[in-house]
Amino acid sequence: MSDSRHQRISGRTAELSAGLPVQRFIPTRERRMIGAWVFLDHIGPADISAGKGVQIGPHPHTGLQTFTWMIEGELLHRDSLDTVQTIRPGQVNLMTAGKGISHSEESPQSRSRCIHATQLWIALPDEQRFIEPAFEHCAEPPVTHLGPAQITVIAGSAFALEAPIKVYSPLMAAEIVCADAGPLTLPLQRSFEHGLLVLDGVVSCDGRELDSSELLYLATATESLTMTCHGPCRLLLIGGEPFNEDVLIWWNFLGRNKQELHDYVRRWNAAEDFGTVTGYDGDRLAAPLPPWKDQNGGT
Ligand code: MN
């Protein structure tokens, strides 16, 4: 457990929505992906009773799935497939962008004081990245128990359970909740690399404390992860087979080369494709131009 194939990745503060900071863990210079997981934001826990909470106007995605796991509070999702879905604690929203979709996210009018969530992106393999867009809501992901831990499998397969949402590469995500201090050992899939993020509480791994400021990365061929919970804690474990395709991200687009991303920016800003989100009280977001030149000579 102490070899160099395990690393700690510090979160950096980003702004999800006006006045609402998040901790972003991947992509980062030292670790771009964990399996097909290519983006990980830890939102809150934050008191949003004073401001407007989350208000993210219509914006597009391509080539990925957005994955939201709600811990406290709620979010209202709208998309260009005419989906209107509130997500509540213990629930998953999975939006498959494929060839292109647009969506908005907002704190509902009758919101609770607090928001606490994780939002991740899953890269689609080359063969599926232009599929038709889709949306799935999972209200009751499967739960199991392992020693002192309650484990909810929220994506893919792990701990002998399978989450009922469609993913396109071998991967997993689970929330692990321990009610008390004590030791915890989690068996891992050897062919997967993994990431462990503490959402609440503090644990010790390798004799070092781990809290919500760092993501612990575990390379493939790791059989298990042993830790000590210092008290009640809530953890997010993600994993997957190493994703052997080079992906490029610009803004909310995932593609394979700069020209493709430039075309997405131009098409979104020209209101071509990506559909229309109805019912959101606010403006659609403008895509920032990438710093590289459009090889077609446009902007
Ligand atoms: Mn989005």
Side-chain angles (χ1 to χ4, degrees):
M1 262 304 300
S2 57
D3 69 72
S4 61
R5 300 184 322 122
H6 300 149
Q7 65 184 156
R8 290 180 179 231
I9 299 165
S10 294
R12 59 192 192 280
T13 304
E15 193 170 64
L16 179 73
S17 179
L20 185 62
V22 299
Q23 289 295 307
R24 184 159 299 161
F25 292 92
I26 55 169
T28 186
R29 193 175 297 274
E30 64 253 54
R31 179 62 47 197
R32 299 205 47 204
M33 301 180 76
I34 298 174
W37 299 99
V38 71
F39 184 92
L40 167 53
D41 266 0
H42 184 195
I43 305 165
D47 185 334
I48 55 167
S49 54
K52 289 186 167 178
V54 175
Q55 297 294 331
I56 306 173
H59 62 278
H61 289 284
T62 57
L64 55 82
Q65 297 176 291
T66 64
F67 174 93
T68 307
W69 169 246
M70 210 70 207
I71 301 155
E72 199 175 348
E74 55 277 316
L75 276 174
L76 175 58
H77 161 97
R78 306 174 193 269
D79 67 36
S80 52
L81 304 174
D82 293 330
T83 308
V84 179
Q85 179 70 58
T86 300
I87 180 172
R88 298 191 168 85
Q91 301 181 342
V92 172
N93 274 1
L94 182 76
M95 185 180 77
T96 302
K99 67 181 186 181
I101 195 169
S102 54
H103 76 139
S104 63
E105 289 170 290
E106 65 202 91
S107 297
Q109 295 277 328
S110 58
R111 62 182 176 270
S112 49
R113 291 179 63 87
C114 184
I115 185 164
H116 191 191
T118 60
Q119 198 160 57
L120 300 93
W121 295 354
I122 304 168
L124 288 170
D126 207 35
E127 275 181 26
Q128 282 95 20
R129 67 193 188 98
F130 297 117
I131 58 176
E132 292 297 319
F135 179 85
E136 289 173 78
H137 174 76
C138 177
E140 286 185 55
V143 175
T144 186
H145 291 83
L146 182 70
Q150 175 180 291
I151 299 178
T152 308
V153 176
I154 54 181
S157 298
F159 306 104
L161 294 175
E162 186 172 359
I165 54 169
K166 178 88 174 141
V167 294
Y168 294 88
S169 61
L171 59 80
M172 62 77 62
E175 188 199 61
I176 298 143
V177 175
C178 285
D180 296 303
L184 173 65
T185 295
L186 301 172
L188 301 178
Q189 171 83 37
R190 272 184 61 86
S191 61
F192 285 8
E193 51 187 352
H194 291 87
L196 179 76
L197 181 65
V198 176
L199 301 173
D200 274 319
V202 180
V203 302
S204 284
C205 292
D206 298 335
R208 276 180 62 195
E209 287 192 1
L210 181 72
D211 62 18
S212 61
S213 66
E214 288 181 311
L215 174 73
L216 178 66
Y217 170 79
L218 308 160
T220 56
T222 306
E223 302 272 354
S224 64
L225 172 60
T226 295
M227 68 193 90
T228 303
C229 303
H230 291 207
C233 64
R234 181 186 300 272
L235 314 169
L236 175 72
L237 180 70
I238 60 172
E241 286 187 1
F243 196 80
N244 293 317
E245 295 176 32
D246 285 329
V247 304
L248 272 186
I249 295 174
W250 175 253
W251 194 48
N252 292 299
F253 300 118
L254 191 144
R256 294 296 186 274
N257 61 69
K258 290 178 174 180
Q259 184 60 46
E260 184 184 343
L261 296 177
H262 216 299
D263 289 344
Y264 290 146
V265 168
R266 183 188 54 74
R267 281 164 47 203
W268 169 255
N269 287 344
E272 292 172 17
D273 310 323
F274 301 108
T276 304
V277 179
T278 53
Y280 181 80
D281 184 17
D283 294 334
R284 72 205 289 278
L285 306 183
L289 289 177
W292 59 82
K293 222 173 141 58
D294 180 358
Q295 285 148 24
N296 289 338
T299 53

